[in-house]
Amino acid sequence: MKRSNLKLHHLLLPVVFLFILITFGLVIGPTYLGMKPFPLEIIFLLSAVFSAIELMILGYRWDQIQKAIVKKIAKGFPIILIFFSIGVLIGSWIISGTIPMLVYYGIKLISPDYMYIIAFVVPIIFSMLTGTSWGSIGTIGVVIIGMASIAGVDLGITAGAIVGGAYFGDKMSPLSDTTNLASAATGVKLYDHIHSMMYTTFPSAFISAIVFFSLSFVYPASSEVNNEATSQATLLAIKNLFNFNVLLIIPPAIVLYGSLKRKPTVPVMLLSALSASVLTLLFQNYSLENLLQTLLKGYDVNMATWATAMPENVVTLFNRGGLYALNEAIFFTFMVFIFIGILDMVKAMPTLVNIVFKDVKKKWALIISSLVATAFTNAFTSNQSATSFIIGDAFKSAYDRLKVPRKVLSRSIEDYGTMIETLIPWTASTLFVVSTLGVDFADYWHWQLLSILNIFVAPILALTGIGCFYKTKDKTK
């Protein structure tokens, strides 16, 4: 059957099948039937199998379908290389002492005075350097919330500041997996995507910072923190594991330079990891075998045979990284590529979007439509990776048709995808925040000012055309 002979219901069936699996596997089953959520990898694999069977029934050959899958995977393979590089980079930064040194001095600088603005700014730094919002929340965020509880400040405000800062830094980091996914899913260069996000996230972050600074006077600390036991134990443990040296700032300096100069992402990451590896052998007490094991499977505090029992938060803080660190994200990405590659054969998603949004003639209306579609998809999948590929594949042609640069699409995917995950009570991100920081969703969500403000900033820019690059030639291919 030729593509021109395909009917609307032929294009709808795979999408409807995916929607049914997501609705039952992630919403109805866990909520009403006591079932565990379906793994998203299996959901997309089953959807890919369904789509392939449908196309074969319609007359397509398997070699055609396989060729389409391979073509999609080939286009997306650079993101796989970035995932591998991120894992190696984080592991090397830990064993070299770079991340531990930053954590150490970050903790020492935290004061109960102006706790809220500190809780917002410090996670920004950590997320930008490591590319992980969850990592920042689960490490320095835990330390900050512990000190906040002793200082007697509002834990809801503190948690909202921590989450907002962690997500802002994550979005601005070239090491972030979701940032890389959004750019890859839309075919936008990584640094073009980050530059585009600045127009929405920077105003939101600036206003948030002013509010958090002001709240320090409205909700001041009720007591002073003097030699707080947990932070002191953490500092001693870190000093026992690593030796500090000013040269340990070289690895992040390389990444910062590469970001500013817009150098290729993978070579910059690997160069930074190489410098960190050399610094490990020069300044740390770890062997070459420890270094290689870290680059492969991640750092483990048990490598420090001279150290006594480590606090649990230190173990959680540093036991990470390595070539296999992002294997789940990599495997999931392959599953999504397989599904979307099959749909690409018949241009299913662009065709459906053109049908649904065929009456959208205004650029601002298209941008807002992609924002709404992103929020809806992320709310159902609880997964920004899936959202990036689904929305990116669906809206690319529409953006091209109305001559809206795709970096606005990639930004929109994050504005109403990644940025609002912690505002939806059933998402994995919200569950992680609640369980990690020990603050109820009802107490922190309205203080997650960054994402709340971003919800308003993004459509305002669409309506006004500010930061939408309408007069800029889109070089995206």
Side-chain angles (χ1 to χ4, degrees):
M1 178 179 290
K2 294 182 179 180
R3 185 182 301 161
S4 58
N5 295 330
L6 290 174
K7 306 297 182 183
L8 177 60
H9 66 272
H10 294 143
L11 304 178
L12 275 174
L13 274 176
V15 180
V16 171
F17 185 81
L18 174 63
F19 179 79
I20 291 173
L21 282 181
I22 290 174
T23 303
F24 180 79
L26 300 179
V27 181
I28 297 177
T31 304
Y32 300 104
L33 303 178
M35 301 170 56
K36 291 184 178 180
F38 286 11
L40 272 169
E41 293 88 347
I42 300 301
I43 288 177
F44 275 89
L45 177 60
L46 292 175
S47 300
V49 171
F50 177 89
S51 303
I53 292 175
E54 182 198 22
L55 289 184
M56 292 177 73
I57 292 174
L58 293 174
Y60 287 88
R61 302 189 313 274
W62 168 248
D63 62 317
Q64 293 176 304
I65 298 173
Q66 181 175 266
K67 185 177 180 180
I69 294 173
V70 172
K71 182 179 179 181
K72 175 58 75 173
I73 292 176
K75 286 184 177 180
F77 191 71
I79 190 66
I80 305 299
L81 294 179
I82 291 176
F83 282 157
F84 283 128
S85 301
I86 290 174
V88 171
L89 184 71
I90 293 175
S92 66
W93 280 19
I94 292 175
I95 195 170
S96 69
T98 295
I99 288 179
M101 185 176 71
L102 295 172
V103 170
Y104 182 88
Y105 288 109
I107 293 174
K108 291 181 72 70
L109 291 173
I110 294 175
S111 167
D113 298 324
Y114 312 112
M115 178 64 75
Y116 307 127
I117 184 62
I118 292 173
F120 183 67
V121 172
V122 173
I124 288 178
I125 298 172
F126 277 78
S127 285
M128 289 190 71
L129 290 174
T130 62
T132 167
S133 55
W134 282 26
S136 295
I137 293 169
T139 55
I140 194 64
V142 172
V143 175
I144 294 174
I145 205 72
M147 298 185 70
S149 63
I150 296 175
V153 299
D154 189 291
L155 296 185
I157 300 176
T158 306
I162 292 170
V163 174
Y167 271 76
F168 174 77
D170 182 88
K171 293 311 101 202
M172 293 295 105
S173 174
L175 306 180
S176 168
D177 55 350
T178 53
T179 300
N180 280 281
L181 281 170
S183 63
T186 52
V188 175
K189 292 181 179 179
L190 176 61
Y191 294 110
D192 288 342
H193 169 58
I194 294 175
H195 174 258
S196 180
M197 283 196 296
M198 291 180 181
Y199 284 85
T200 52
T201 53
F202 263 73
S204 303
F206 180 73
I207 297 172
S208 297
I210 293 175
V211 174
F212 285 128
F213 179 80
S214 303
L215 287 173
S216 297
F217 300 97
V218 181
Y219 300 95
S222 60
S223 64
E224 293 186 359
V225 179
N226 294 313
N227 298 321
E228 198 275 317
T230 300
S231 62
Q232 288 302 315
T234 301
L235 292 174
L236 289 174
I238 295 174
K239 284 288 287 184
N240 193 22
L241 290 171
F242 303 96
N243 301 314
F244 297 156
N245 188 291
V246 68
L247 294 179
L248 295 180
I249 66 172
I250 291 177
I254 291 174
V255 172
L256 180 61
Y257 175 81
S259 300
L260 295 176
K261 294 296 184 179
R262 299 194 177 190
K263 300 295 183 179
T265 305
V266 171
V268 168
M269 290 182 182
L270 294 180
L271 178 61
S272 177
L274 177 61
S275 69
S277 299
V278 173
L279 292 170
T280 299
L281 300 176
L282 288 176
F283 299 115
Q284 305 306 329
N285 299 322
Y286 299 101
S287 65
L288 177 60
E289 181 182 355
N290 294 149
L291 172 61
L292 296 177
Q293 188 67 17
T294 297
L295 296 178
L296 180 64
K297 295 184 178 180
Y299 176 79
D300 189 332
V301 294
N302 291 325
M303 293 176 179
T305 54
W306 61 88
T308 56
M310 288 288 109
E312 186 62 30
N313 66 324
V314 174
V315 176
T316 303
L317 181 65
F318 297 134
N319 280 14
R320 63 182 72 241
L323 194 63
Y324 294 152
L326 299 175
N327 58 345
E328 291 186 4
I330 292 170
F331 187 75
F332 172 76
T333 301
F334 271 113
M335 294 298 102
V336 174
F337 284 159
I338 292 172
F339 174 69
I340 294 180
I342 296 173
L343 295 188
D344 271 355
M345 283 197 63
V346 292
K347 303 296 181 183
M349 295 302 290
T351 302
L352 290 174
V353 169
N354 288 334
I355 292 173
V356 175
F357 298 101
K358 63 181 179 181
D359 295 326
V360 176
K361 304 298 182 182
K362 302 292 185 180
K363 296 178 178 180
W364 65 264
L366 177 63
I367 296 173
I368 292 178
S369 297
S370 63
L371 289 170
V372 173
T374 298
F376 178 81
T377 303
N378 203 355
F380 266 91
T381 63
S382 185
N383 188 286
Q384 180 59 20
S385 301
T387 301
S388 295
F389 286 109
I390 292 172
I391 301 301
D393 193 65
F395 277 86
K396 283 187 293 189
S397 61
Y399 268 68
D400 294 343
R401 174 169 53 85
L402 291 184
K403 301 187 185 314
V404 180
R406 287 191 189 178
K407 59 184 177 180
V408 179
L409 172 59
S410 66
R411 177 182 77 199
S412 299
I413 289 174
E414 297 234 59
D415 284 339
Y416 270 45
T418 309
M419 294 291 283
I420 69 170
E421 281 186 340
T422 56
L423 299 180
I424 302 172
W426 61 79
T427 64
S429 294
T430 297
L431 297 175
F432 171 80
V433 169
V434 172
S435 61
T436 302
L437 299 182
V439 180
D440 289 339
F441 172 77
D443 294 331
Y444 88 78
W445 76 267
H446 49 286
W447 295 113
Q448 219 283 59
L449 301 180
L450 179 79
S451 293
I452 293 174
L453 290 169
N454 208 69
I455 290 175
F456 296 97
V457 172
I460 288 175
L461 294 189
L463 290 168
T464 61
I466 298 174
C468 293
F469 316 105
Y470 293 149
K471 296 182 179 180
T472 303
K473 184 178 181 181
D474 193 359
K475 297 180 180 181
T476 302
K477 293 183 180 180

